[in-house]
Amino acid sequence: MTSRIARNSIFPALLAIMTIGAAASTTPPKPEDTGAAAQYRQLNATADPGAAPAGTYKLDPHHTSVIAKLAHMDLSRYTLRFDDVSGSFDFNPSGASASNVEITIDPKSVDTGDQAFDKRIASKFFEAEKYPTMNFIADSVKIMNGHASVAGILNFHGVKKTVVLHTTYRGFAQSRMGFSGEATFKRSDFGVSEWVPLEADDVTILVEAEFTRL
């Protein structure tokens, strides 16, 4: 008798839960999701760089990240994000090329998620008080088949050297152009040799960037 009562009380509860779950799975998308999907379809995004208008394009900091990645004791490849990044370039669609490319980074904006560690890196690695900016300048860039190898001068820690940024062109939509890039160099080449080899000499820079036409 007791087990029958228990079953009679459990089954309706299970049925109610299943009904609620089924209803939740068929819930229509929120209005803002529908609107976002419609806006995306209207972007007319294209991977053809020749479809982008000529002009000066400025970095959008809200949709850009610059991350440095290096090994710690060969146990992990930890990352340093830079929160203060600016830049621009001039674009010529007839040649699918960019000129006057310049990216500037504030070394004090380094962010590891630990503020005390950030200050230590800014002072020990970067000597940010003495060298308040890092920048990368390239005279010209040619986009071919969605890729570009951008050779430019990196001015870091008071040393200027050529660094090659291997770039993927993500496309153009409305007034925006997007890129992904990666470069690797030895920090000791720029006079930054603190904690080598506990902290790796080889540094990889990962860039995700959107630019908007002025």
Side-chain angles (χ1 to χ4, degrees):
M1 176 66 71
T2 301
S3 62
R4 185 180 299 112
I5 292 172
R7 285 197 300 273
N8 289 342
S9 61
I10 291 172
F11 289 157
L14 288 175
L15 182 60
I17 292 172
M18 292 172 65
T19 301
I20 292 172
S25 66
T26 58
T27 300
K30 296 179 181 179
E32 58 267 29
D33 296 337
T34 303
Q39 288 181 45
Y40 181 77
R41 288 192 296 270
Q42 294 170 5
L43 289 178
N44 296 319
T46 176
D48 176 13
T56 298
Y57 287 74
K58 185 178 180 180
L59 193 71
D60 173 7
H62 301 298
H63 299 95
T64 294
S65 65
V66 176
I67 292 173
K69 187 176 179 181
L70 70 161
H72 172 247
M73 297 170 57
D74 263 344
L75 298 177
S76 66
R77 269 66 179 169
Y78 74 98
T79 59
L80 318 173
R81 178 188 170 105
F82 295 94
D83 294 330
D84 189 345
V85 184
S86 60
S88 63
F89 63 84
D90 297 326
F91 184 70
N92 176 11
S94 64
S97 62
S99 59
N100 300 320
V101 180
E102 183 168 1
I103 303 296
T104 301
I105 298 170
D106 181 353
K108 290 182 181 178
S109 71
V110 63
D111 183 359
T112 66
D114 182 328
Q115 292 184 357
F117 191 39
D118 298 343
K119 291 179 180 178
R120 186 181 180 194
I121 290 174
S123 62
K124 287 287 187 179
F125 269 98
F126 304 145
E127 295 187 88
E129 293 296 336
K130 186 176 181 180
Y131 308 106
T133 61
M134 304 180 232
N135 67 359
F136 177 81
I137 298 175
D139 291 332
S140 62
V141 180
K142 177 79 172 178
I143 302 170
M144 297 181 65
N145 300 320
H147 296 280
S149 185
V150 185
I153 300 299
L154 176 63
N155 185 350
F156 170 37
H157 197 249
V159 178
K160 296 180 180 180
K161 285 186 175 293
T162 298
V163 169
V164 177
L165 184 66
H166 300 285
T167 305
T168 299
Y169 176 65
R170 294 297 178 189
F172 175 82
Q174 294 182 333
S175 62
R176 292 179 172 272
M177 200 180 291
F179 299 87
S180 298
E182 182 173 333
T184 300
F185 58 85
K186 291 187 180 297
R187 59 188 178 91
S188 61
D189 288 344
F190 293 85
V192 182
S193 55
E194 289 286 340
W195 308 320
V196 174
L198 289 175
E199 303 277 352
D201 195 9
D202 289 332
V203 177
T204 297
I205 304 295
L206 304 172
V207 179
E208 295 292 336
E210 284 186 28
F211 293 80
T212 57
R213 185 171 177 266
L214 296 180

